[in-house]
Amino acid sequence: MPTLIEKIAGGAAGEFIRIRPKHVMTHDNTSAVMAKFRAIGAERIHDGTQPVFVIDHDIQNKSKQNLDKYARIESFAREQNVDFYPAGTGISHQIMIERGYVTPGSIIVGSDSHSNMYGALSALGTPVVRTDAASIWAIGETWWQVPKQARLLLRGQPRPGVVGKDVIIALCGLFNNDEVLNHAVEFSGDGVTSLSMEDRMTIANMTTEWGALSGIFPFDAVLRDWLLDRAAWLGARELPGYSPEEVQAWWDKKEASDGDAVFHIELELDLSTVIPHVAGPDHVKVMRALPDIEKERLQINKAYLLSCTNGRIEDLVAASEVLDGAHIANGVDFYVAAASKSIQQQAEELGIWQILKSAGATFLPPGCGTCIGLGEGTLNDGEVGISATNRNFKGRVVHPLC
């Protein structure tokens, strides 16, 4: 009677087990993991196909110190025969999914809190600390305590205009008493089929803000068809990843929670009751309905459309539909960054980039940047911003001197 997470992990809730992740992702913090790796006396990475290095955090920083750090990471990647993605390729989580590293039923960990995002592909995605990342480099595995299980039943269908971000903000606001703290959340119910893969990525990503250790969606027809599209995309570009035949094999062997699986808590949300929401100020668990906040007529200084949560093509299309023929209000700076270089290229080919440019948007390179208070466009003291990022607490999207 195990849950899907327990089947993938190979252990029951509460057990301490050894896991051998398919991949371990590190980004700018690769340099810190390198120091941990050497501190434990390791010299060679156990399996060079296991780590993935993606530079994405401080990519607007052109100082010699930062560029030297990136050069050392790239040199180490070549030395250890590890896949390396330089600054400007995209945000690490997007690249892990986009380039085919994340597959259903696999364990994918990352030295970043938003590694939960991989659960959108029915994988066990969860963060690890830098020491654990170093140990995986050294021996290919680490220990993990299988968390308690939570099941969230999603019913009905979202109203027009309601997206995945509204769903996860609603969940963070409705269940804000640590109901899923340090749990693995499994999403189920008939409402799941109405959520696009982009919606699922946003929701899985922000189970982190909800307090969970992972959030996982089922391997259903929506995911299967999306994987087939990605396999074709990879194949057309002659990129390594997976093939349609592999997708079919995964589909034939897909796992699911047993009918009598035991969950420590079960929650339910009717998607038809969700309306657009804004989280904040200062905490994602402060949920405010859009009609209520509209009445306040808040003066906005800066707006952000970027991050691993909402920097995909669907987000850019939605923004272009609003701004086509319009212009950003005087006194407001609008910052836009695609989640990856390939998404930006797609937006350019579709004419979306030009619409946003004509409306007065300021473009930033594909990466984290402003989302974590680095680079151009951060909020200054006393300014008000509205953001499509995953976090809004004090110190995020804020200039480090404020």
Side-chain angles (χ1 to χ4, degrees):
M1 57 180 185
T3 67
L4 175 57
I5 284 283
E6 290 172 332
K7 288 182 178 181
I8 295 174
E15 289 184 347
F16 288 88
I17 62 172
R18 305 292 298 183
I19 59 171
R20 183 175 291 271
K22 180 181 180 183
H23 292 294
V24 52
M25 183 282 298
T26 56
H27 43 64
D28 295 34
N29 62 16
T30 301
S31 58
V33 180
M34 287 162 56
K36 299 281 188 183
F37 182 72
R38 290 166 177 144
I40 61 177
E43 295 181 358
R44 294 294 307 176
I45 287 179
H46 177 77
D47 179 0
T49 67
Q50 200 174 24
V52 182
F53 303 162
V54 188
I55 304 301
D56 65 358
H57 269 51
D58 199 16
I59 65 173
Q60 296 178 52
N61 182 356
K62 304 300 184 182
S63 68
K64 184 179 185 302
Q65 180 182 16
N66 195 53
L67 294 179
D68 284 349
K69 180 177 77 170
Y70 289 171
R72 288 193 298 273
I73 295 172
E74 184 173 9
S75 176
F76 182 72
R78 286 197 303 268
E79 172 193 320
Q80 301 286 340
N81 198 27
V82 169
D83 286 355
F84 172 83
Y85 293 91
T89 309
I91 301 175
S92 54
H93 306 302
Q94 180 66 29
I95 296 303
M96 290 294 290
I97 289 176
E98 192 174 278
R99 296 302 180 96
Y101 293 102
V102 182
T103 56
S106 60
I107 301 176
I108 313 289
V109 301
S111 187
D112 185 275
S113 62
H114 289 110
S115 301
N116 291 13
M117 181 167 149
Y118 312 143
L121 274 66
S122 202
L124 169 50
T126 195
V128 294
V129 298
R130 296 169 184 180
T131 302
D132 288 338
S135 74
I136 296 170
W137 288 4
I139 62 174
E141 61 181 26
T142 188
W143 67 272
W144 194 58
Q145 184 177 21
V146 182
K148 293 180 179 179
Q149 314 289 297
R151 177 162 62 184
L152 177 66
L153 295 173
L154 296 174
R155 304 294 190 192
Q157 294 188 356
R159 302 180 188 185
V162 170
V163 295
K165 191 63 159 287
D166 299 307
V167 174
I168 188 60
I169 290 176
L171 289 170
C172 289
L174 290 170
F175 304 109
N176 59 4
N177 292 309
D178 293 338
E179 288 91 341
V180 299
L181 182 64
N182 293 329
H183 284 58
V185 179
E186 180 180 328
F187 296 92
S188 63
D190 56 39
V192 169
T193 59
S194 65
L195 298 174
S196 69
M197 285 304 301
E198 290 70 26
D199 288 332
R200 298 180 191 194
M201 290 180 206
T202 299
I203 293 168
N205 180 298
M206 286 187 58
T207 56
T208 297
E209 277 64 41
W210 198 15
L213 289 177
S214 67
I216 189 167
F217 280 85
F219 191 177
D220 60 4
V222 173
L223 173 56
R224 179 198 60 197
D225 294 345
W226 186 89
L227 288 167
L228 288 171
D229 286 343
R230 295 308 299 175
W233 186 89
L234 291 163
R237 289 158 181 78
E238 298 183 348
L239 295 172
Y242 46 79
S243 66
E245 292 74 22
E246 287 174 296
V247 173
Q248 185 61 48
W250 300 333
W251 175 256
D252 293 340
K253 299 177 182 178
K254 64 181 179 296
E255 293 279 14
S257 293
D258 289 347
D260 58 353
V262 176
F263 293 87
H264 291 81
I265 186 171
E266 297 199 37
L267 306 170
E268 185 170 340
L269 177 68
D270 184 345
L271 292 173
S272 68
T273 66
V274 177
I275 62 174
H277 280 82
V278 175
D282 299 334
H283 206 293
V284 73
K285 291 185 179 181
V286 178
M287 179 182 71
R288 306 184 70 189
L290 184 59
D292 294 335
I293 201 170
E294 281 181 322
K295 297 175 184 177
E296 298 183 24
R297 307 293 295 176
L298 293 174
Q299 176 64 46
I300 302 298
N301 302 109
K302 292 175 181 174
Y304 307 91
L305 179 59
L306 39 81
S307 81
C308 55
T309 317
N310 285 122
R312 285 176 282 277
I313 193 66
E314 291 76 10
D315 307 301
L316 300 172
V317 168
S320 70
E321 291 173 347
V322 173
L323 292 173
D324 194 5
H327 199 277
I328 306 301
N330 291 333
V332 177
D333 294 317
F334 179 41
Y335 295 93
V336 177
S340 73
K341 182 178 180 180
S342 65
I343 290 174
Q344 179 176 328
Q345 290 172 339
Q346 184 181 3
E348 291 170 348
E349 293 168 0
L350 293 173
I352 294 167
W353 220 240
Q354 184 57 46
I355 292 173
L356 298 177
K357 181 180 180 180
S358 297
T362 298
F363 296 118
L364 302 175
C368 301
T370 317
C371 178
I372 52 173
L374 296 172
E376 182 183 356
T378 51
L379 284 172
N380 295 313
D381 192 26
E383 289 186 326
V384 176
I386 187 166
S387 175
T389 55
N390 39 30
R391 286 183 179 162
N392 60 352
F393 48 73
K394 290 181 179 180
R396 198 84 172 193
V397 198
V398 175
H399 191 281
L401 297 181
C402 291

